[in-house]
Amino acid sequence: MELDKIQTVNLRDQKFLEELTQQVDDYVRWDKTFLAWKLFLKIKEIFEKDSGGVNNKLINKYIYLLRRLKFLALPLLSDEETINLFEKDLAFAWQLDSFTDEESYDFNQKLKYKLTSVLLWERDEFKIRLINAMKNNQQRISSESIELGSGHQVAPTMANWLKDYIDRIGIDTDTLKQTNYLINSLNTKKLTDDERSILRQVIHLYEKLKISSATPEGIEEDLVYIDKNGQMKILHNGQFINFQDLNKK
C-alpha cells in the first residue's frame, strides 16, 4: 500500500481493511514512526469524510488501527495532541490488545523522544500539563469500583486511581512505597494481574514526569562527558554509564 496513492477509498471494502491492517502491523513491527504519522493523517482524513454508512464493527476496527498509528507516531505529535492523548486515551498504551510482545512497542521511549522535541526550559511546564491530563483521564483501567479515602465508591478511572495513590502515599515516595501500594493497598488487592500491570505503568509514568528535566535524573537527552581519569561516560536515563559498557548493551 503506497501512501501517495491513497486518495479516496471505500472504507467498506474488506480488502482495503486487510491491507491497511497489514501495513499498520508492519509499521509497528519495524518502528516506522514517520510513515506511521503520514498514514495516520491520511486515514484519519478519509475516515472523517467517508465513515457515514460504515457499520459499527468496521468503524471500531478503523479506530483501533488509528490508535495504534497515533501511539507509534507519538514523537511527532504536537504538544496539544500529546496532552489530548494523555487525557483521553493514555491507557491504550498498555492494554493487552494494543501491542503484542513480539512488536516490542516501548511507550516510555516514544515519550522520551517526544519530550526531547520540547525546549529544555519549557519541558518541566509541559510535564506538569501531562500530569494534569493524567489526573483528568476518565478511562477505566480496572473493572471494580474503588474506595477513596472519604469512604465513597468511585469509578476505577485513571484519574481516581491517581487520586487514591496520592492520598495514600503522599507526595514523597520511593520504590518500596509504590510496591507496597500496588500489592497491599485496600483497592489494589482486588486487581487482576493485568490491571495491576497497567496501574504500575501509570504510577511509574506519573512519578517519572514529576522529576525535573533540569536534574541529572530527569533529563531526557543522553549527555557525554569525560571524567577526571579521562574516561568517557554517558548520562543515560539518569545514570552515569561508562561508554564501553553502554556499547555492550
Side-chain angles (χ1 to χ4, degrees):
M1 181 184 295
E2 298 181 39
L3 289 178
D4 56 354
K5 293 184 178 179
I6 301 177
Q7 299 300 329
T8 57
V9 298
N10 183 1
L11 295 178
R12 290 158 286 279
D13 184 351
Q14 187 64 37
K15 182 179 179 181
F16 172 74
L17 178 60
E18 291 173 357
E19 291 179 352
L20 179 62
T21 301
Q22 291 179 344
Q23 190 77 77
V24 173
D25 290 347
D26 177 73
Y27 285 179
V28 175
R29 184 177 300 112
W30 299 105
D31 196 21
K32 298 180 179 181
T33 304
F34 180 67
L35 290 177
W37 175 237
K38 290 180 64 178
L39 183 58
F40 169 79
L41 294 177
K42 179 71 69 174
I43 300 303
K44 181 173 180 285
E45 179 184 6
I46 295 172
F47 185 78
E48 290 175 346
K49 290 181 179 178
D50 191 38
S51 60
V54 181
N55 66 61
N56 289 336
K57 185 176 181 180
L58 285 179
I59 284 179
N60 288 335
K61 289 182 178 180
Y62 282 112
I63 290 176
Y64 167 73
L65 293 175
L66 285 168
R67 294 168 85 189
R68 275 166 61 83
L69 287 170
K70 191 170 187 178
F71 272 82
L72 184 61
L74 173 60
L76 301 178
L77 299 182
S78 70
D79 292 355
E80 294 306 319
E81 288 169 330
T82 305
I83 297 295
N84 183 264
L85 182 146
F86 266 60
E87 185 171 342
K88 305 295 183 183
D89 203 25
L90 181 58
F92 182 80
W94 308 296
Q95 290 168 348
L96 286 178
D97 60 349
S98 301
F99 302 98
T100 67
D101 292 338
E102 290 76 15
E103 289 171 332
S104 301
Y105 175 78
D106 190 339
F107 173 81
N108 292 320
Q109 189 68 19
K110 291 287 182 181
L111 179 60
K112 178 180 178 179
Y113 291 146
K114 168 57 191 173
L115 289 171
T116 58
S117 73
V118 180
L119 295 173
L120 183 58
W121 53 89
E122 296 178 355
R123 204 173 296 170
D124 282 355
E125 180 181 350
F126 183 61
K127 285 181 174 182
I128 292 173
R129 294 185 66 196
L130 292 177
I131 289 174
N132 289 335
M134 293 175 70
K135 289 180 177 180
N136 289 325
N137 188 306
Q138 297 303 308
Q139 284 180 287
R140 291 175 177 246
I141 60 176
S142 59
S143 54
E144 297 189 35
S145 60
I146 62 177
E147 181 180 314
L148 293 183
S150 55
H152 65 285
Q153 300 289 319
V154 296
T157 63
M158 186 181 299
N160 284 333
W161 271 112
L162 280 174
K163 180 172 176 52
D164 181 64
Y165 170 74
I166 295 169
D167 287 347
R168 297 180 188 277
I169 301 300
I171 297 177
D172 297 324
T173 184
D174 54 40
T175 302
L176 183 60
K177 288 182 179 179
Q178 294 171 32
T179 301
N180 185 59
Y181 170 80
L182 285 165
I183 297 175
N184 299 317
S185 171
L186 172 67
N187 290 315
T188 58
K189 288 181 179 180
K190 300 181 291 184
L191 294 175
T192 66
D193 290 343
D194 293 334
E195 291 170 344
R196 183 174 286 104
S197 177
I198 293 176
L199 180 58
R200 180 181 291 108
Q201 295 287 354
V202 171
I203 290 173
H204 172 79
L205 177 58
Y206 167 74
E207 292 293 345
K208 184 68 176 176
L209 289 172
K210 285 167 52 180
I211 304 174
S212 171
S213 292
T215 65
E217 297 80 13
I219 192 169
E220 284 72 31
E221 289 84 355
D222 289 343
L223 302 180
V224 180
Y225 80 104
I226 307 297
D227 68 13
K228 62 182 180 180
N229 298 317
Q231 296 293 317
M232 180 180 291
K233 294 190 176 182
I234 296 178
L235 177 60
H236 177 71
N237 291 334
Q239 295 183 328
F240 292 101
I241 302 173
N242 288 328
F243 185 73
Q244 295 84 349
D245 295 338
L246 187 63
N247 281 338
K248 291 178 183 178
K249 295 183 180 181

